[in-house]
Amino acid sequence: MTQELIQTVDIVRPGKSLVVAIDGPSGSGKSSVSKEVARRLRLAYLDTGAMYRALTWFCLQSGTDLADGQAVEDAAEALDLEISTSTREEYVRVGGTDITEAIREPAISAAVSAVATTLGARTELIRRQRALIETHHRRMVVEGRDITTVVAPHAEVRMLLTASEEARLRRRGIQLGGSQNAEQLAAQVTARDAKDSTVVNFTQAADGVVTLDSSDLDFAETVDAALGIVHRVINHTAFHRD
């Protein structure tokens, strides 16, 4: 779809709240699918995982002991973070330093679970995530691991995007351009999910959350399926209100 056509697409629920919350395990395609859904719906977009990666980078740069929960919480509160919420650009900055690429490095991937499972740090980042949703007048696609249940449990649309382990490993390998071996990929995908699942459930849909299994779908098909869910949920809600 060209930019000109995008501009002519009717805005969904104009003037009303439309938060699309998308959770899912590593390698499920959350980020790419969520970003395209936001672009198609002309909504803001927030990658909450990038926030945890940014905090991890900050902790490592400052020499914070990741095993010290209070120190990690203090780092979260001190984090000078700028993160893009537009589908037209992508940036993550800490203290003015662009770390958009740096937060995807294997060292960050290996350490991020230690930060993400620190409850005090999660509380602070969740506070910031909710504030960003409100800043955008509750018109945003937000993706992560606890969005449907913790960050935005009252979102108009809540979705769990999942896929088989085989599909997730393959996609993450492609995303990283073949730069990591099978062991590193497994650590990024299955091992990290196992660690993070100790503090949040992102493998099973909570009540009211629609599951989208993309194991046998390509990117375009997954985006179309996600958009279909959005429109079905919105139309169903509107019908029952009317």
PDB file of all heavy atoms in Angstrom, residues 49-71:
ATOM      1  N   GLY A  49       9.838  -3.920  24.950  1.00  0.00           N
ATOM      2  CA  GLY A  49      11.053  -4.707  25.113  1.00  0.00           C
ATOM      3  C   GLY A  49      12.298  -3.858  24.935  1.00  0.00           C
ATOM      4  O   GLY A  49      13.319  -4.082  25.601  1.00  0.00           O
ATOM      5  N   ALA A  50      12.219  -2.872  24.049  1.00  0.00           N
ATOM      6  CA  ALA A  50      13.355  -1.977  23.834  1.00  0.00           C
ATOM      7  C   ALA A  50      13.647  -1.162  25.090  1.00  0.00           C
ATOM      8  O   ALA A  50      14.804  -0.795  25.340  1.00  0.00           O
ATOM      9  CB  ALA A  50      13.073  -1.054  22.653  1.00  0.00           C
ATOM     10  N   MET A  51      12.627  -0.901  25.883  1.00  0.00           N
ATOM     11  CA  MET A  51      12.831  -0.157  27.130  1.00  0.00           C
ATOM     12  C   MET A  51      13.628  -0.994  28.122  1.00  0.00           C
ATOM     13  O   MET A  51      14.538  -0.487  28.800  1.00  0.00           O
ATOM     14  CB  MET A  51      11.484   0.259  27.714  1.00  0.00           C
ATOM     15  CG  MET A  51      10.696   1.193  26.814  1.00  0.00           C
ATOM     16  SD  MET A  51       9.052   1.608  27.460  1.00  0.00           S
ATOM     17  CE  MET A  51       9.491   2.697  28.827  1.00  0.00           C
ATOM     18  N   TYR A  52      13.315  -2.278  28.218  1.00  0.00           N
ATOM     19  CA  TYR A  52      14.075  -3.157  29.112  1.00  0.00           C
ATOM     20  C   TYR A  52      15.501  -3.339  28.611  1.00  0.00           C
ATOM     21  O   TYR A  52      16.450  -3.409  29.405  1.00  0.00           O
ATOM     22  CB  TYR A  52      13.373  -4.513  29.238  1.00  0.00           C
ATOM     23  CG  TYR A  52      12.124  -4.446  30.080  1.00  0.00           C
ATOM     24  CD1 TYR A  52      10.866  -4.362  29.486  1.00  0.00           C
ATOM     25  CD2 TYR A  52      12.198  -4.442  31.468  1.00  0.00           C
ATOM     26  CE1 TYR A  52       9.720  -4.270  30.254  1.00  0.00           C
ATOM     27  CE2 TYR A  52      11.054  -4.353  32.245  1.00  0.00           C
ATOM     28  CZ  TYR A  52       9.816  -4.264  31.635  1.00  0.00           C
ATOM     29  OH  TYR A  52       8.676  -4.159  32.402  1.00  0.00           O
ATOM     30  N   ARG A  53      15.680  -3.388  27.312  1.00  0.00           N
ATOM     31  CA  ARG A  53      17.018  -3.498  26.747  1.00  0.00           C
ATOM     32  C   ARG A  53      17.823  -2.221  27.012  1.00  0.00           C
ATOM     33  O   ARG A  53      19.024  -2.271  27.292  1.00  0.00           O
ATOM     34  CB  ARG A  53      16.932  -3.782  25.241  1.00  0.00           C
ATOM     35  CG  ARG A  53      16.501  -5.215  24.926  1.00  0.00           C
ATOM     36  CD  ARG A  53      16.307  -5.427  23.427  1.00  0.00           C
ATOM     37  NE  ARG A  53      16.073  -6.848  23.147  1.00  0.00           N
ATOM     38  CZ  ARG A  53      17.020  -7.726  22.899  1.00  0.00           C
ATOM     39  NH1 ARG A  53      18.306  -7.338  22.875  1.00  0.00           N
ATOM     40  NH2 ARG A  53      16.737  -8.996  22.664  1.00  0.00           N
ATOM     41  N   ALA A  54      17.151  -1.084  26.905  1.00  0.00           N
ATOM     42  CA  ALA A  54      17.826   0.189  27.171  1.00  0.00           C
ATOM     43  C   ALA A  54      18.285   0.264  28.630  1.00  0.00           C
ATOM     44  O   ALA A  54      19.395   0.725  28.924  1.00  0.00           O
ATOM     45  CB  ALA A  54      16.893   1.353  26.853  1.00  0.00           C
ATOM     46  N   LEU A  55      17.428  -0.190  29.540  1.00  0.00           N
ATOM     47  CA  LEU A  55      17.801  -0.195  30.949  1.00  0.00           C
ATOM     48  C   LEU A  55      18.965  -1.156  31.187  1.00  0.00           C
ATOM     49  O   LEU A  55      19.881  -0.864  31.970  1.00  0.00           O
ATOM     50  CB  LEU A  55      16.600  -0.579  31.810  1.00  0.00           C
ATOM     51  CG  LEU A  55      16.873  -0.725  33.321  1.00  0.00           C
ATOM     52  CD1 LEU A  55      17.476   0.551  33.901  1.00  0.00           C
ATOM     53  CD2 LEU A  55      15.585  -1.100  34.055  1.00  0.00           C
ATOM     54  N   THR A  56      18.953  -2.291  30.506  1.00  0.00           N
ATOM     55  CA  THR A  56      20.050  -3.254  30.627  1.00  0.00           C
ATOM     56  C   THR A  56      21.364  -2.625  30.155  1.00  0.00           C
ATOM     57  O   THR A  56      22.406  -2.758  30.811  1.00  0.00           O
ATOM     58  CB  THR A  56      19.746  -4.515  29.804  1.00  0.00           C
ATOM     59  OG1 THR A  56      18.507  -5.074  30.249  1.00  0.00           O
ATOM     60  CG2 THR A  56      20.847  -5.546  29.953  1.00  0.00           C
ATOM     61  N   TRP A  57      21.318  -1.942  29.025  1.00  0.00           N
ATOM     62  CA  TRP A  57      22.507  -1.247  28.495  1.00  0.00           C
ATOM     63  C   TRP A  57      23.018  -0.237  29.520  1.00  0.00           C
ATOM     64  O   TRP A  57      24.221  -0.152  29.781  1.00  0.00           O
ATOM     65  CB  TRP A  57      22.147  -0.556  27.187  1.00  0.00           C
ATOM     66  CG  TRP A  57      23.300   0.194  26.550  1.00  0.00           C
ATOM     67  CD1 TRP A  57      24.186  -0.279  25.636  1.00  0.00           C
ATOM     68  CD2 TRP A  57      23.658   1.562  26.799  1.00  0.00           C
ATOM     69  NE1 TRP A  57      25.097   0.694  25.300  1.00  0.00           N
ATOM     70  CE2 TRP A  57      24.798   1.838  26.001  1.00  0.00           C
ATOM     71  CE3 TRP A  57      23.142   2.571  27.619  1.00  0.00           C
ATOM     72  CZ2 TRP A  57      25.417   3.089  25.988  1.00  0.00           C
ATOM     73  CZ3 TRP A  57      23.766   3.813  27.618  1.00  0.00           C
ATOM     74  CH2 TRP A  57      24.883   4.064  26.808  1.00  0.00           C
ATOM     75  N   PHE A  58      22.102   0.522  30.078  1.00  0.00           N
ATOM     76  CA  PHE A  58      22.459   1.546  31.058  1.00  0.00           C
ATOM     77  C   PHE A  58      23.111   0.921  32.294  1.00  0.00           C
ATOM     78  O   PHE A  58      24.121   1.416  32.802  1.00  0.00           O
ATOM     79  CB  PHE A  58      21.199   2.321  31.459  1.00  0.00           C
ATOM     80  CG  PHE A  58      21.419   3.410  32.469  1.00  0.00           C
ATOM     81  CD1 PHE A  58      22.283   4.457  32.216  1.00  0.00           C
ATOM     82  CD2 PHE A  58      20.737   3.391  33.687  1.00  0.00           C
ATOM     83  CE1 PHE A  58      22.475   5.473  33.152  1.00  0.00           C
ATOM     84  CE2 PHE A  58      20.920   4.385  34.623  1.00  0.00           C
ATOM     85  CZ  PHE A  58      21.792   5.431  34.354  1.00  0.00           C
ATOM     86  N   CYS A  59      22.544  -0.184  32.761  1.00  0.00           N
ATOM     87  CA  CYS A  59      23.103  -0.872  33.927  1.00  0.00           C
ATOM     88  C   CYS A  59      24.518  -1.378  33.642  1.00  0.00           C
ATOM     89  O   CYS A  59      25.432  -1.231  34.465  1.00  0.00           O
ATOM     90  CB  CYS A  59      22.210  -2.034  34.345  1.00  0.00           C
ATOM     91  SG  CYS A  59      20.658  -1.558  35.137  1.00  0.00           S
ATOM     92  N   LEU A  60      24.699  -1.982  32.471  1.00  0.00           N
ATOM     93  CA  LEU A  60      26.021  -2.514  32.129  1.00  0.00           C
ATOM     94  C   LEU A  60      27.038  -1.393  31.963  1.00  0.00           C
ATOM     95  O   LEU A  60      28.189  -1.509  32.393  1.00  0.00           O
ATOM     96  CB  LEU A  60      25.929  -3.349  30.851  1.00  0.00           C
ATOM     97  CG  LEU A  60      25.114  -4.639  30.946  1.00  0.00           C
ATOM     98  CD1 LEU A  60      25.050  -5.335  29.584  1.00  0.00           C
ATOM     99  CD2 LEU A  60      25.688  -5.578  31.998  1.00  0.00           C
ATOM    100  N   GLN A  61      26.613  -0.297  31.363  1.00  0.00           N
ATOM    101  CA  GLN A  61      27.521   0.834  31.159  1.00  0.00           C
ATOM    102  C   GLN A  61      27.929   1.495  32.474  1.00  0.00           C
ATOM    103  O   GLN A  61      29.060   1.956  32.621  1.00  0.00           O
ATOM    104  CB  GLN A  61      26.855   1.887  30.261  1.00  0.00           C
ATOM    105  CG  GLN A  61      26.757   1.493  28.807  1.00  0.00           C
ATOM    106  CD  GLN A  61      28.107   1.465  28.126  1.00  0.00           C
ATOM    107  OE1 GLN A  61      28.874   2.422  28.177  1.00  0.00           O
ATOM    108  NE2 GLN A  61      28.428   0.339  27.474  1.00  0.00           N
ATOM    109  N   SER A  62      27.011   1.497  33.429  1.00  0.00           N
ATOM    110  CA  SER A  62      27.271   2.159  34.709  1.00  0.00           C
ATOM    111  C   SER A  62      27.849   1.213  35.751  1.00  0.00           C
ATOM    112  O   SER A  62      28.131   1.612  36.881  1.00  0.00           O
ATOM    113  CB  SER A  62      25.982   2.788  35.246  1.00  0.00           C
ATOM    114  OG  SER A  62      24.979   1.795  35.450  1.00  0.00           O
ATOM    115  N   GLY A  63      28.026  -0.063  35.382  1.00  0.00           N
ATOM    116  CA  GLY A  63      28.597  -1.022  36.311  1.00  0.00           C
ATOM    117  C   GLY A  63      27.650  -1.470  37.399  1.00  0.00           C
ATOM    118  O   GLY A  63      28.074  -1.947  38.458  1.00  0.00           O
ATOM    119  N   THR A  64      26.353  -1.346  37.150  1.00  0.00           N
ATOM    120  CA  THR A  64      25.352  -1.766  38.125  1.00  0.00           C
ATOM    121  C   THR A  64      25.339  -3.288  38.261  1.00  0.00           C
ATOM    122  O   THR A  64      25.356  -4.002  37.263  1.00  0.00           O
ATOM    123  CB  THR A  64      23.952  -1.278  37.701  1.00  0.00           C
ATOM    124  OG1 THR A  64      23.961   0.148  37.603  1.00  0.00           O
ATOM    125  CG2 THR A  64      22.886  -1.716  38.702  1.00  0.00           C
ATOM    126  N   ASP A  65      25.303  -3.765  39.486  1.00  0.00           N
ATOM    127  CA  ASP A  65      25.239  -5.204  39.748  1.00  0.00           C
ATOM    128  C   ASP A  65      23.823  -5.687  39.446  1.00  0.00           C
ATOM    129  O   ASP A  65      22.871  -5.339  40.147  1.00  0.00           O
ATOM    130  CB  ASP A  65      25.600  -5.473  41.207  1.00  0.00           C
ATOM    131  CG  ASP A  65      25.575  -6.962  41.560  1.00  0.00           C
ATOM    132  OD1 ASP A  65      25.262  -7.784  40.663  1.00  0.00           O
ATOM    133  OD2 ASP A  65      25.846  -7.283  42.735  1.00  0.00           O
ATOM    134  N   LEU A  66      23.672  -6.492  38.399  1.00  0.00           N
ATOM    135  CA  LEU A  66      22.337  -6.942  37.988  1.00  0.00           C
ATOM    136  C   LEU A  66      21.693  -7.876  39.003  1.00  0.00           C
ATOM    137  O   LEU A  66      20.485  -8.104  38.953  1.00  0.00           O
ATOM    138  CB  LEU A  66      22.421  -7.635  36.628  1.00  0.00           C
ATOM    139  CG  LEU A  66      22.935  -6.786  35.463  1.00  0.00           C
ATOM    140  CD1 LEU A  66      22.811  -7.562  34.158  1.00  0.00           C
ATOM    141  CD2 LEU A  66      22.203  -5.461  35.367  1.00  0.00           C
ATOM    142  N   ALA A  67      22.488  -8.400  39.923  1.00  0.00           N
ATOM    143  CA  ALA A  67      21.955  -9.269  40.966  1.00  0.00           C
ATOM    144  C   ALA A  67      21.429  -8.469  42.151  1.00  0.00           C
ATOM    145  O   ALA A  67      20.798  -9.020  43.052  1.00  0.00           O
ATOM    146  CB  ALA A  67      23.017 -10.252  41.436  1.00  0.00           C
ATOM    147  N   ASP A  68      21.700  -7.170  42.156  1.00  0.00           N
ATOM    148  CA  ASP A  68      21.269  -6.277  43.229  1.00  0.00           C
ATOM    149  C   ASP A  68      19.969  -5.602  42.801  1.00  0.00           C
ATOM    150  O   ASP A  68      19.972  -4.616  42.063  1.00  0.00           O
ATOM    151  CB  ASP A  68      22.354  -5.237  43.503  1.00  0.00           C
ATOM    152  CG  ASP A  68      22.036  -4.329  44.695  1.00  0.00           C
ATOM    153  OD1 ASP A  68      20.847  -4.218  45.056  1.00  0.00           O
ATOM    154  OD2 ASP A  68      22.975  -3.724  45.239  1.00  0.00           O
ATOM    155  N   GLY A  69      18.847  -6.136  43.274  1.00  0.00           N
ATOM    156  CA  GLY A  69      17.545  -5.638  42.863  1.00  0.00           C
ATOM    157  C   GLY A  69      17.343  -4.161  43.132  1.00  0.00           C
ATOM    158  O   GLY A  69      16.789  -3.442  42.306  1.00  0.00           O
ATOM    159  N   GLN A  70      17.805  -3.686  44.280  1.00  0.00           N
ATOM    160  CA  GLN A  70      17.629  -2.274  44.609  1.00  0.00           C
ATOM    161  C   GLN A  70      18.450  -1.390  43.677  1.00  0.00           C
ATOM    162  O   GLN A  70      17.997  -0.323  43.242  1.00  0.00           O
ATOM    163  CB  GLN A  70      18.053  -2.014  46.068  1.00  0.00           C
ATOM    164  CG  GLN A  70      17.773  -0.591  46.537  1.00  0.00           C
ATOM    165  CD  GLN A  70      16.300  -0.232  46.448  1.00  0.00           C
ATOM    166  OE1 GLN A  70      15.448  -0.907  47.030  1.00  0.00           O
ATOM    167  NE2 GLN A  70      15.971   0.827  45.710  1.00  0.00           N
ATOM    168  N   ALA A  71      19.644  -1.847  43.336  1.00  0.00           N
ATOM    169  CA  ALA A  71      20.502  -1.076  42.436  1.00  0.00           C
ATOM    170  C   ALA A  71      19.878  -0.989  41.043  1.00  0.00           C
ATOM    171  O   ALA A  71      19.921   0.077  40.396  1.00  0.00           O
ATOM    172  CB  ALA A  71      21.890  -1.703  42.361  1.00  0.00           C
TER     173      ALA A  71
END
